[in-house]
Amino acid sequence: MTEIPATPSPFTFDPATTALVIIDMQRDFLLPGGFGESLGNDVALLRTVIEPLAGVLACARAAGITVIHTREGHLPDLSDCPPSKLRRGNPAQRIGDPGRFGRILIRGEYGHDIIDELAPLAGETVIDKPGKGAFYATELATVLRQHSIATLLVAGVTTEVCVHTTVREANDRGYECLVVADCVGSYFPEFQRVGLSMISAQGAIFGWVADSADVIAALGTTAPVTA
Ligand code: C5J
């Protein structure tokens, strides 16, 4: 077992049954000029995540930990997008509309894919999800079962939306979750602070929170997991 200093208490996990789950680090959310910015958001707040997360990802890969990426998006005909979701937001820039990086949040478009810095390697699972949570209408539960995963190290964007929904879903399914504080990001500093507090409150009601430096230090001491 490996231990990480965390809030509200040290977090122990077995690297052999742990997955790093990276939520929605997509160009549409993170690139200047993209969908996220067109909604009036400051993407710089999300981009702070890239460097520490690249460090955690490199360590996870070196330790042989299962790596799973997710992407929020929809089929080109929008048949998997509820009309309620389609109607939300700025009427001038909606899901499926043409954006700077292709049709917004549509599978196969340049903007829908993961940023170059965190591009999945061949063999890593990429889960395409139509919702905020990574379990809803996806194969994630099956993939985790196939890899005998019990623990999730969770990173990505945005903290209070897709990260939170996924952690809450995972918690209800019995997974132990550690959210890496500087590897999750929000367009809203207040939501980032409160979002992290909500995870670890009441004795880890949804999970634990730790910094990437502590995760990297812990992963660096683990013997590589072999398949
Ligand atoms: C949002 C996400 N914020 N990945 N998506 O709409 O959190």
Side-chain angles (χ1 to χ4, degrees), residues 23-26 29 35 39 46 70-72 85 105 129 131-132 156-165 185 187:
I23 307 286
D24 301 357
M25 290 297 285
Q26 295 162 252
F29 294 124
F35 174 52
L39 296 176
L46 297 199
T70 74
R71 299 183 295 203
E72 180 179 353
K85 183 175 181 184
L105 290 183
K129 62 186 185 64
K132 305 304 185 195
V157 298
T158 61
T159 307
E160 75 281 11
V161 184
C162 291
V163 170
H164 243 266
T165 308
Y187 296 121

Side-chain angles (χ1 to χ4, degrees), residues 188-221:
F188 306 95
E190 181 70 357
F191 293 172
Q192 173 78 0
R193 188 181 64 75
V194 175
L196 290 173
S197 298
M198 289 169 73
I199 299 285
S200 63
Q202 302 178 75
I205 194 146
F206 297 125
W208 282 254
V209 176
D211 289 328
S212 62
D214 291 322
V215 174
I216 286 170
L219 292 179
T221 63

Side-chain angles (χ1 to χ4, degrees), residues 12 18 26 43 47 55 60 64 71 75 87 95 102 112 121 125 131 153 156 163 167 173-174 176 193 213:
T12 52
T18 295
Q26 295 162 252
V43 293
R47 296 184 61 80
R71 299 183 295 203
L75 297 169
R87 283 193 298 267
I95 293 168
H112 171 262
L121 294 182
T125 299
L153 308 179
V163 170
V167 169
R173 285 170 164 79
E176 304 283 19
R193 188 181 64 75

Side-chain angles (χ1 to χ4, degrees), residues 173-189:
R173 285 170 164 79
Y175 294 98
E176 304 283 19
C177 296
L178 176 88
V179 175
V180 190
D182 51 336
C183 294
V184 294
S186 171
Y187 296 121
F188 306 95

